Amino acid sequence: MDEAYRELLTKQQYRLYNDHAAVKLCHWMKESMLHERHCYKQDFYGISSHRCLQMTPAINTCSHMCTFCWRVQENDFEVKDWAEPKEMLDALIAHQRKLVSGFKGDPRCDIRMFEEACNPNQVAISLAGEPITYPYLSDFIKECHSRKMTTFLVTNGTFPERLAALDELPMQLYVTVAAPNEEVYRKVCRPKSPDGWSKLMETLELLPSLDTRTVIRHTLVKGSNFGWEKEYAALDRIADPDLIEPKGYVFVGGSRQRLTIDSMPSFSEIREFSQRLGGMVGMEILKEAPDSRVLLLGRPGMELDVRKLHGM
């Protein structure tokens, strides 16, 4: 890893292990610890915001350069020595404990919540980079599950062969579909390889065969990929996901160099999009979180709490 890149990530409060793995406290974890405001995933899926380990096993590379991405871009590098899953998980939990240590003396932080935050029980495998490129991902997920930790994996869908090869799947698998067609995809997701769209289509075709809960996430940018409900619906019917998350772009991080605050759709606009899309794919709005600009589409009566779903 380039030293300047390392210094930038550290300044942005990432904590690194073996160059390619990283952890960072998310905004909602801090809000949960200090102000009793939590991430939409707690409302939607029953996970505890303050016990979530937001991490990536592969910060070193991503196959997209999405215009809406808040993360640092253009710093890909090759990894020659990948960390083993157990040591990586132990190291990232240790980093997390150091990151939350300052909350202990804050009068706004309940001591019970602080102690629980030091022992995460949910792993969000996302953060930065494309996590599915980590070669020991199955074993990492197995390690998390052996510790009774729930797992969410977010992928951009450009590695269907790696997804198909996983012999341990996360408890919830997200695929980001941030374009209704290939033309918009090339402008918004800016793939690094010419076959990105065809790879994404392979992933969508694969999803119905996977034995885990699947979620399609539509990250919506006004003036770029917002609208086209019929085309998004056609893609969603191919993927046949359990759930769909239409989520509005937020003007933060590195995306501010490429977009403007006017690129953020209002929550009412996202809700109208969700209603139209849901009607086309036979789903209803089950949950909504205006603060996070996200809604959840699914079928009434389904179990949403991931821990109950897996008997935890």
Side-chain angles (χ1 to χ4, degrees), residues 255-279:
S255 72
R256 292 176 296 179
Q257 301 169 19
R258 300 176 290 273
L259 300 171
T260 72
I261 197 166
D262 293 330
S263 303
M264 293 173 57
S266 69
F267 183 72
S268 62
E269 289 173 323
I270 303 163
R271 198 176 200 283
E272 290 169 6
F273 172 95
S274 300
Q275 289 174 324
R276 290 192 292 268
L277 179 65

Side-chain angles (χ1 to χ4, degrees), residues 84-91 93 120-121 123 125 134 136-151 167-169 171 312:
E84 293 295 326
K86 183 180 184 302
E87 69 179 58
M88 181 174 74
L89 182 56
D90 286 341
I93 291 173
N121 64 357
V123 185
I125 310 170
Y134 174 59
Y136 310 131
L137 185 58
S138 280
D139 290 337
F140 177 74
I141 295 171
K142 285 179 185 176
E143 181 65 29
C144 294
H145 291 170
S146 73
R147 304 186 193 195
K148 307 299 182 185
M149 304 173 88
T150 53
T151 51
D167 56 24
E168 182 86 5
L169 289 166
M171 293 182 182
M312 300 175 76

